[in-house]
């Protein structure tokens, strides 16, 4: 089986657009649809036709292009069952624990409540890739809008169980501002300092900071490092549970400037 061709680009101001193309069948998946025109232009430039959209959650910056793209390409939209009514043009709903096949490749659905209640992620073992939407970002995680801190902690932790080599594709290019917060929490983390320097360089060169990998995130992302003694010391939470440290980190990130 040949590997898929990935095409990633920035949409709107900081959303990631992402296309996965299978050369053999000619099928192409968009992970979310932040901007129909931008996605169509990328498809045209590559000479690809859109056959599917995998939707992670109902927010406008992830579904706004659904209907226009569906009208233009007749693509099939697969998205979260718990948000079925809020996903424009949804053809097929899926939920955590579901597995489906796209072009002989297994896609595993992960339930990720927290940012929104029905948020899902898509994991493709054959591509060593997970599409995390607004749950896990590089060096950060999504804001908790609809769920509880406990739910979000559990959702983010699911990613820690994936193989370290797994490539993490996120919904937004937030890595630079996430790095500032992460460094404030764990200034002694040398791997994090290196990553922050790399992020500045990539962006200065007009490049993107994602995909990251699960291994890199485990070493640098404060929301996956609630056991770090440096983070705990900085928060004055040496004896707290991981869930408590996670919630405190999320609150502080909300207020961080
Ligand atoms: Zn969102
Ligand atoms: Fe978003």
């Amino acid at each position: 089986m040949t590997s898929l061709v990935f095409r990633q680009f920035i949409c709107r101001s900081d959303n990631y657009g992402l296309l996965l193309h299978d050369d053999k069948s000619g099928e192409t998946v968009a992970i979310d649809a932040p901007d129909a025109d931008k996605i169509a232009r990328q498809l045209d430039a590559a000479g690809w036709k859109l056959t599917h959209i995998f939707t992670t959650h109902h927010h406008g910056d992830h579904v706004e292009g659904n209907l226009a793209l569906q009208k233009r390409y007749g693509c099939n939209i697969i998205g979260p069952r718990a948000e079925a009514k809020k996903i424009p043009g949804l053809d097929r709903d899926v939920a955590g624990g579901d597995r489906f096949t796209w072009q002989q490749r297994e896609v595993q659905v992960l339930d990720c409540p927290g940012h929104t209640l029905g948020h899902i992620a898509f994991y493709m073992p054959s591509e060593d890739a997970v599409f995390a939407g607004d749950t896990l970002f590089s060096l950060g995680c999504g804001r908790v809008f609809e769920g509880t801190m406990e739910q979000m902690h559990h959702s983010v932790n699911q990613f820690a169980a994936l193989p370290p080599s797994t490539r993490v594709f996120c919904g937004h290019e937030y890595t630079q501002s996430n790095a500032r917060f992460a460094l404030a929490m764990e200034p002694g983390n040398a791997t994090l300092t290196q990553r922050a320097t790399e992020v500045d360089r990539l962006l200065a060169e007009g490049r993107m900071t994602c995909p990251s990998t699960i291994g890199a995130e485990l070493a640098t992302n404060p929301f996956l490092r609630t056991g770090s003694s440096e983070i705990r010391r900085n928060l004055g939470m040496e004896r707290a549970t991981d869930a408590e440290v996670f919630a405190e980190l999320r609150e502080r990130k909300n207020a961080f400037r």
Side-chain angles (χ1 to χ4, degrees):
M1 189 164 52
T2 54
S3 56
L4 299 174
V5 184
F6 285 59
R7 194 175 175 107
Q8 186 180 245
F9 45 95
I10 297 290
C11 287
R12 306 167 76 97
S13 57
D14 51 36
N15 278 82
Y16 274 118
L18 179 61
L19 298 170
L20 318 181
H21 178 74
D22 174 51
D23 253 336
K24 194 154 157 258
S25 64
E27 294 207 350
T28 306
V29 176
I31 305 297
D32 285 333
D35 180 333
D37 286 340
K38 191 88 191 256
I39 291 169
R41 264 183 279 138
Q42 291 284 333
L43 287 160
D44 289 347
W48 298 345
K49 185 180 171 299
L50 190 66
T51 53
H52 296 79
I53 299 172
F54 294 174
T55 300
T56 61
H57 67 295
H58 70 81
H59 283 160
D61 61 315
H62 297 260
V63 301
E64 198 163 274
N66 278 18
L67 293 180
L69 290 167
Q70 198 170 48
K71 192 165 170 224
R72 179 164 173 166
Y73 298 99
C75 57
N76 223 272
I77 302 178
I78 300 174
R81 182 165 306 151
E83 298 180 356
K85 289 196 180 70
K86 296 178 179 172
I87 311 294
L90 187 70
D91 293 294
R92 174 174 176 194
D93 61 66
V94 292
D98 286 357
R99 288 156 194 252
F100 63 95
T101 303
W102 175 67
Q103 290 309 316
Q104 289 138 52
R105 291 167 173 88
E106 183 181 76
V107 183
Q108 297 179 14
V109 181
L110 311 177
D111 265 333
C112 301
H115 178 71
T116 65
L117 276 174
H119 194 302
I120 56 173
F122 299 91
Y123 172 49
M124 289 182 79
S126 65
E127 308 306 307
D128 215 8
V130 69
F131 308 107
D134 287 358
T135 297
L136 182 68
F137 295 129
S138 183
L139 303 182
C141 73
R143 274 183 188 257
V144 181
F145 286 121
E146 295 180 8
T148 63
M149 287 291 186
E150 290 71 26
Q151 283 176 318
M152 191 64 168
H153 179 230
H154 183 262
S155 294
V156 166
N157 258 332
Q158 282 180 98
F159 291 88
L162 298 175
S165 59
T166 308
R167 295 177 293 164
V168 186
F169 291 88
C170 313
H172 289 269
E173 174 59 75
Y174 287 160
T175 317
Q176 197 167 42
S177 60
N178 287 342
R180 285 178 40 242
F181 176 73
L183 279 170
M185 294 299 108
E186 204 178 22
N189 181 338
T191 311
L192 172 59
T193 307
Q194 267 173 32
R195 170 68 169 151
T197 305
E198 182 201 27
V199 164
D200 290 345
R201 181 179 54 78
L202 287 169
L203 294 174
E205 291 171 357
R207 295 161 68 190
M208 294 172 279
T209 66
C210 291
S212 178
T213 63
I214 292 295
E217 292 307 310
L218 286 171
T220 53
N221 187 326
F223 295 94
L224 289 170
R225 297 180 55 74
T226 51
S228 151
S229 49
E230 186 182 10
I231 290 177
R232 286 170 165 257
R233 213 179 319 116
N234 283 332
L235 297 175
M237 297 181 78
E238 275 103 332
R239 286 165 208 282
T241 64
D242 286 320
E244 287 164 346
V245 172
F246 178 90
E248 180 64 20
L249 284 169
R250 191 53 262 181
E251 298 285 1
R252 291 202 186 204
K253 177 66 167 64
N254 291 346
F256 187 76
R257 291 290 172 270

